Amino acid sequence: MTHATITFTLAITLIVAAPQRAANPPTDYSPKPQEQQLPRAMYSAMAELPRITAGRSNADLTGDDNCVLQAAVDYIAGLGGGTVEIGEGEYLMRDSLHLRANVTVRGVKGKTVLRKAAGVVSALALDGDFGEEQITVRDPTGFAVGCGVAVWDREAGGFHTTVARLIGRNGNTFAIDKPLMADCMADNDGKAATVFPVISAYDTEGVRIESLVIEGNRQENVPLNGCRGAGIFLYRAFGTVISGCLVRNYNGDGISFQQSNDVTVEDCISEENTSLGLHPGSGSQRPTIRRCVARRNGTDGLFLCWRVRHGRFEDNLLEENGRFGISIGHKDSDNLLRRNTVRGNKDNGVFFRNESLGMAPHRNRLEENLIENNGGPEIRIRGSVNDLVFRNNVIRDSRTQDADAEHIGIRIEETVGPVVLEDNKIETQIPVDDRRPSR
């Protein structure tokens, strides 16, 4: 009797439960077809990533100098990447803001200002040896633990200049966080100075820099060369995006990126810096620079340094710079320069540097550009370069003509190889000055 009752009860339970499964099917949490793990992680892309605010007030982290900004960047980097939002106001930079992989740093456009602190400089009291991680200066006034520093002598320029941070002190001797890149000899005018990029990214990827104003304060700082410094400086920072930034008054380059492939610079202004406005270089391939302005810089507006290849430079304004509007040279081949305006620069609008056949900037294309009112020939081509293409450009000098001056559209010098000139509108006293022997 007991066995029969149990069987009857189970049967009733199954009959009641069956309709409930049909009405409320289980949630399917299985991955969708498009979901994949990230290339270098064991999880898929997330819709929500870490975010922190930093500012002078009303922020997760509050302060008014590089320390608070660096704390925010390092916090987000420690979580694998995300966004640092910096509030409006001015922040005093005694060291670079060192960026980390997959971190976006975003300001309030036109209102978030990172200002380079006044710098000091001292002669070295002792030689700084290659690989050494300390320096001794004659006058330590203004040098402090935590500050950025550059070290060089007369023969240790370019990439041999060391840029580091001061991380310890014994009197006039300071420890630095990177080894010296060269011998810096006291008797060879060896110096140390608290100069550095305002924003710096080394050996990283996936960085974004958005809507910041970089005030270089050049009046209170000695120069730092563009191989190791700029208002914004990248070194092996692959895939970086710089968007909507203004860099001004830096004692050196405005924006420089070295050995950094696939960098995009868009909607930025680089003005009144003492050297180059925009400086892609040292094998930085596939760069994109678009809708940018480089004006009133000390030398060139856009300088393609060594091995800049397969780049796109479009819709930029390069004006009133102290030397060339655009300079192209050592192994800078296979680039497209299109719809740029190049005007009012002190020397040539576009200058191809004097390179031998193996190192010449072959197969560059200039299309639909406006090149006008520059100081020398609007375009000057030097070296043993082949297969340049100039198509649908407007090249002109609309200024009042000086009877004693030659106003030249394109000068092609003796050693230049094949050049295609197609459908250009040239309005100068001498449209083309072709000095090749066969012409």
Side-chain angles (χ1 to χ4, degrees):
M1 185 65 180
T2 302
H3 177 73
T5 301
I6 292 172
T7 302
F8 176 77
T9 303
L10 288 173
I12 294 298
T13 301
L14 290 172
I15 292 170
V16 172
Q20 291 178 341
R21 285 200 303 271
N24 299 293
T27 301
D28 182 2
Y29 294 105
S30 64
K32 301 299 184 286
Q34 66 273 22
E35 182 178 336
Q36 300 183 43
Q37 287 184 169
L38 297 173
R40 299 189 183 185
M42 293 294 104
Y43 55 83
S44 53
M46 298 288 115
E48 181 179 343
L49 294 175
R51 172 185 171 273
I52 195 170
T53 59
R56 296 172 64 94
S57 61
N58 301 319
D60 298 322
L61 298 178
T62 58
D64 61 1
D65 64 8
N66 59 287
C67 295
V68 68
L69 305 184
Q70 193 65 59
V73 166
D74 291 347
Y75 171 76
I76 292 296
L79 294 174
T83 301
V84 174
E85 296 184 356
I86 306 175
E88 61 185 75
E90 185 172 282
Y91 300 83
L92 187 63
M93 306 300 289
R94 298 181 182 89
D95 183 27
S96 301
L97 178 57
H98 300 274
L99 301 186
R100 313 298 187 202
N102 303 313
V103 174
T104 294
V105 175
R106 179 180 300 135
V108 179
K109 191 170 181 63
K111 297 182 179 180
T112 301
V113 181
L114 277 56
R115 180 182 179 85
K116 170 72 178 68
V120 297
V121 60
S122 172
L124 295 181
L126 299 176
D127 292 344
D129 302 340
F130 174 78
E132 190 173 11
E133 295 181 4
Q134 67 180 34
I135 56 172
T136 301
V137 297
R138 290 192 178 277
D139 182 2
T141 304
F143 291 84
V145 173
C147 289
V149 67
V151 188
W152 71 95
D153 70 6
R154 281 195 298 266
E155 296 179 5
F159 286 110
H160 299 293
T161 295
T162 301
V163 177
R165 288 182 288 181
L166 301 175
I167 58 171
R169 178 179 184 178
N170 285 323
N172 286 37
T173 299
F174 292 85
I176 57 177
D177 70 341
K178 293 180 181 177
L180 291 172
M181 301 297 294
D183 294 328
C184 295
M185 314 303 286
D187 288 343
N188 198 25
D189 202 24
K191 287 185 171 63
T194 56
V195 292
F196 44 83
V198 178
I199 291 181
S200 177
Y202 270 73
D203 301 306
T204 189
E205 63 182 354
V207 167
R208 292 186 65 95
I209 307 163
E210 301 178 3
S211 302
L212 297 174
V213 176
I214 307 302
E215 171 53 61
N217 189 19
R218 70 185 192 182
Q219 297 83 357
E220 297 187 282
N221 288 277
V222 298
L224 180 60
N225 77 80
C227 292
R228 286 297 183 195
I232 298 175
F233 178 78
L234 314 177
Y235 183 85
R236 297 202 170 200
F238 302 108
T240 296
V241 176
I242 306 171
S243 180
C245 293
L246 166 61
V247 183
R248 64 191 182 207
N249 296 321
Y250 188 83
N251 204 342
D253 294 352
I255 298 173
S256 172
F257 53 96
Q258 308 299 310
Q259 299 186 28
S260 298
N261 294 332
D262 305 302
V263 169
T264 297
V265 183
E266 59 186 10
D267 302 307
C268 291
I269 299 173
S270 179
E271 64 182 9
E272 298 181 347
N273 305 290
T274 61
S275 191
L276 304 169
L278 302 164
H279 180 186
S282 301
S284 295
Q285 300 202 357
R286 298 178 301 277
T288 298
I289 297 180
R290 59 191 174 210
R291 301 185 304 275
C292 291
V293 176
R295 62 189 171 208
R296 297 190 295 277
N297 296 289
T299 55
D300 303 342
L302 170 62
F303 181 81
L304 277 62
C305 194
W306 288 22
R307 301 192 324 279
V308 177
R309 303 184 62 214
H310 306 292
R312 298 178 70 93
F313 306 90
E314 298 176 312
D315 302 300
N316 301 295
L317 172 60
L318 309 155
E319 66 175 355
E320 300 177 9
N321 295 289
R323 191 170 59 181
F324 307 118
I326 300 173
S327 176
I328 307 173
H330 189 87
K331 299 182 183 178
D332 298 328
S333 65
D334 303 285
N335 297 290
L336 172 62
L337 298 95
R338 182 166 58 188
R339 296 188 305 272
N340 303 289
T341 297
V342 185
R343 67 188 180 203
N345 298 286
K346 186 175 182 179
D347 209 318
N348 309 115
V350 180
F351 180 69
F352 288 85
R353 303 193 293 274
N354 188 15
E355 300 282 355
S356 62
L357 180 63
M359 273 64 78
H362 305 300
R363 298 178 301 278
N364 285 288
R365 292 181 292 145
L366 282 78
E367 301 177 353
E368 302 174 45
N369 301 287
L370 171 60
I371 305 167
E372 63 177 357
N373 299 339
N374 296 287
E378 299 296 326
I379 299 172
R380 184 181 180 189
I381 309 170
R382 304 187 67 197
S384 300
V385 61
N386 292 325
D387 302 319
L388 299 179
V389 177
F390 300 86
R391 181 179 290 119
N392 295 321
N393 301 287
V394 175
I395 304 166
R396 68 192 182 195
D397 191 329
S398 61
R399 297 166 293 188
T400 302
Q401 298 296 305
D402 181 350
D404 296 326
E406 287 186 331
H407 298 278
I408 298 169
I410 303 175
R411 172 171 286 166
I412 306 173
E413 299 199 358
E414 292 85 346
T415 58
V416 173
V419 175
V420 174
L421 302 177
E422 186 175 283
D423 297 326
N424 300 292
K425 184 178 181 180
I426 305 178
E427 299 174 349
T428 57
Q429 184 182 9
I430 301 172
V432 178
D433 176 19
D434 194 340
R435 301 184 173 188
R436 292 174 291 180
S438 61
R439 301 304 191 273

